[in-house]
Amino acid sequence: MKSMVLKKATDLKIDKNPLSYVEVEIPKIGVNEVLIKISVCGICHTELDEIEGRIEPINFPIILGHQIIGRVIKIGAEVKKLKNGDRVGVGWINSACGECEYCRAGYENLCPQFISTGKDVNGGYAEYTTINENYAALIPEKFIDEEAAPLLCAGAVGHRALKLTGINDGMNLGFLGFGASNHLVLKIARAVYPNLKLFVSARSEGERTLAKELGACWCGDIKEVPPEKLNAVIDTTPVWAPVVDAMKNLKPNGRLIMNNIRKEDLDKGELATIDYSRDLWMEKEIKSVANVTFDDIMEVLNIADIYNIRPVYRIYDLKDANKAIMDIKEKRIKGAKVLRI
Ligand SMILES: [Zn+2]
Ligand SMILES: [Zn+2]
């Protein structure tokens, strides 16, 4: 089958073609698994972290990609819920143990044996993939494949981040960064909580324009201070300075949610400027988002279905995956990016 593989971690400032086009064997299914013929796969910022070595895939070469949409074309002997022809999605959660204290408490995202699609096993920058049927999400009829793909990670992890903010209708919610995930979170937040006031800080003019179009009441550069104090902020930036600044602007009991798997180290020194009484006192919190549960994926698909939420996206051919990666790295295109296989 056709695939774009990552053979080793590299530096995107020097190497603009980190992925190689290769033919690999179609994967075999286990008894509880299905074989999926992939139609599209979303591209996530996490792939940049894998390419640049901040997150290490279990081995190389690896097929990246964890926002997979396709049709089931073969089922294992013990598959019960799915049948050939079903349209399914595969997100970052490939499996969890189902038995540990975290899995039993509904936190399978924190399972020590969490397996990530496109990191611990091959992902979706290819023609076929396999998945345990319990982690394949049926996709609502309403969406075309390209619309559904970004919901699987950008949407699901964004939805998880939104839940972790503890926000209620009528409050002030801030966004640091406005890429694939936060633009979907803003759409979800507006639909579910119509009286939220939304404040968007983004580096690029294009992202700020998009935020305004989508209903943000204030948009500014990352360095600008929003005109009101915020109850919660969702951070998707790869750096530290905006986090420190955002803490100053949180209301008492405010919470900053870090929706980024890895931060770059370039400006880590900014953390040393956090002032306890100004930035943390009054029960302000910083909380990270780790992975997603399968329920997060199902919930966001359901919310998107009910409220008619669709991502802004741009399509690339599989063989142009390197161009798509560089467009994300260099912040050239707004919204989500989707590979057509
Ligand atoms: Zn992702
Ligand atoms: Zn577990």
Side-chain angles (χ1 to χ4, degrees), residues 66 190 249 251 310 325:
H66 54 266
R190 267 198 82 195
N249 208 43
K251 290 187 182 192
R310 288 175 162 79
I325 293 284

Side-chain angles (χ1 to χ4, degrees), residues 244-258:
V244 175
D245 287 338
M247 293 307 291
K248 293 176 194 151
N249 208 43
L250 278 183
K251 290 187 182 192
N253 201 30
R255 194 179 275 180
L256 183 128
I257 300 296
M258 294 175 63

Side-chain angles (χ1 to χ4, degrees), residues 4 8 21 61 74 77 95-96 110 143 146 149 166-167 220 234 248 258 275 291-292 294 304 310 317 321 325 332 338:
M4 290 294 281
K8 59 174 178 25
Y21 178 89
K74 196 172 182 182
S95 68
L110 306 181
F143 303 113
E146 290 81 354
I167 204 93
I234 299 175
K248 293 176 194 151
M258 294 175 63
D275 180 82
N291 305 319
V292 288
F294 188 65
R310 288 175 162 79
D317 283 338
I325 293 284
R332 272 195 290 266
V338 177

